[in-house]
Amino acid sequence: MSTAQRLLTGVGVGPGDPELVTVKGVNALRGAAVVVVPVLDTGERGRAEATVLHYVPPERVVRVVFALNERSDRARREAAWDAAGERVAELLRGHGSVAFATIGDPNVYSTFTYLAQTVGESVPGLRVETVPGITAMQDLAARGGAVLTEGTEPLTLVPVTAGAEVLREALRGPGTVVAYKFGRLAGEVVAALRETGRAEGAVWGSSLGLPEESIRPAGELPESGELPYLSTLIAPARRSGRGEKL
């Protein structure tokens, strides 16, 4: 097979509920020669793998270890990325087409972005495509009854791993704020909501679409301790009347 025919497709498989994978996403997963799913070095099954197995037989699924939970040791993280990239490159050379399943959307804070960059350096002529997926904020808005935007309101998405002050700055603005990856900083998120007067109407959720799903008003966020890492928060824009911002 020529290098020009090698195709790496990032497929968004949603936040956890297998019913939220798009028809196009299912077709991309089933159409690839192999489907790669990222796993932690501890080996447990992640959300992407669990979702993929609803649509693809296990013999076509390849588990590749990524340092998904490595935040402090840059050298270890880089080595893990290189090893994962080489494994996917090998699969592309052997099979021609590989789909990589990522939770949410492959173009929103996704592992796929880094993988495609790494593999592209070692597989000349690689074609990279993505299939969009439903994001956690969309699922939480639907399950928690929070409208994301109306009229001319802006929407700001903040990874709290960037720091609580980044979240505070966004909350001081006029639109809806969505916070990702704040499980380890729940107390700081609570403080930021209170300081900016944005706790009312805010909702948080974790393990969306899974048996252990939890969706609650932001006022019930604990002031100490940790939540699941992939917790999501929606703080809707302040609104006083129907259609006021049209």
Side-chain angles (χ1 to χ4, degrees):
M1 178 173 289
S2 68
T3 57
Q5 293 177 294
R6 288 174 180 151
L7 172 64
L8 175 63
T9 306
V11 181
V13 297
D17 184 346
E19 292 186 348
L20 291 181
V21 183
T22 66
V23 173
K24 187 170 185 177
V26 172
N27 289 339
L29 293 172
R30 290 175 173 170
V34 294
V35 178
V36 169
V37 294
V39 297
L40 295 170
D41 52 11
T42 51
E44 70 258 31
R45 178 179 294 177
R47 293 192 199 183
E49 182 179 4
T51 302
V52 164
L53 290 174
H54 279 81
Y55 300 105
V56 179
E59 60 268 20
R60 291 185 48 235
V61 177
V62 177
R63 309 174 88 234
V64 175
V65 174
F66 285 77
L68 300 172
N69 58 346
E70 180 56 68
R71 296 288 182 272
S72 58
D73 190 335
R74 183 181 179 85
R76 178 177 177 274
R77 184 173 67 246
E78 293 292 337
W81 278 116
D82 289 342
E86 181 52 38
R87 178 67 177 119
V88 174
E90 289 175 0
L91 292 169
L92 281 162
R93 297 184 190 107
H95 298 278
S97 64
V98 172
F100 179 85
T102 177
I103 60 171
D105 182 278
N107 293 302
V108 180
Y109 298 129
S110 171
T111 308
F112 180 73
T113 303
Y114 312 111
L115 176 69
Q117 292 173 351
T118 303
V119 176
E121 294 172 357
S122 59
V123 181
L126 176 68
R127 185 157 54 100
V128 177
E129 297 181 354
T130 58
V131 178
I134 292 175
T135 61
M137 64 178 166
Q138 292 169 288
D139 195 17
L140 179 57
R143 295 175 186 270
V147 176
L148 285 170
T149 56
E150 290 184 359
T152 58
E153 295 170 353
L155 173 65
T156 303
L157 176 58
V158 176
V160 183
T161 47
E165 186 53 40
V166 176
L167 175 61
R168 287 188 182 88
E169 182 178 349
L171 289 169
R172 294 185 189 110
T176 294
V177 176
V178 176
Y180 276 3
K181 305 179 182 180
F182 71 87
R184 297 171 184 168
L185 299 169
E188 294 187 43
V189 171
V190 171
L193 286 169
R194 291 177 177 171
E195 290 171 17
T196 57
R198 296 292 297 273
E200 184 177 356
V203 61
W204 72 272
S206 62
S207 303
L208 299 174
L210 303 176
E212 62 271 27
E213 174 182 275
S214 179
I215 298 174
R216 301 181 185 180
E220 297 182 13
L221 277 167
E223 296 186 18
S224 61
E226 293 187 4
L227 298 172
Y229 173 67
L230 292 177
S231 295
T232 299
L233 169 81
I234 298 176
R238 298 180 178 91
R239 302 172 183 127
S240 58
R242 184 178 66 179
E244 63 170 327
K245 299 177 182 178
L246 292 175

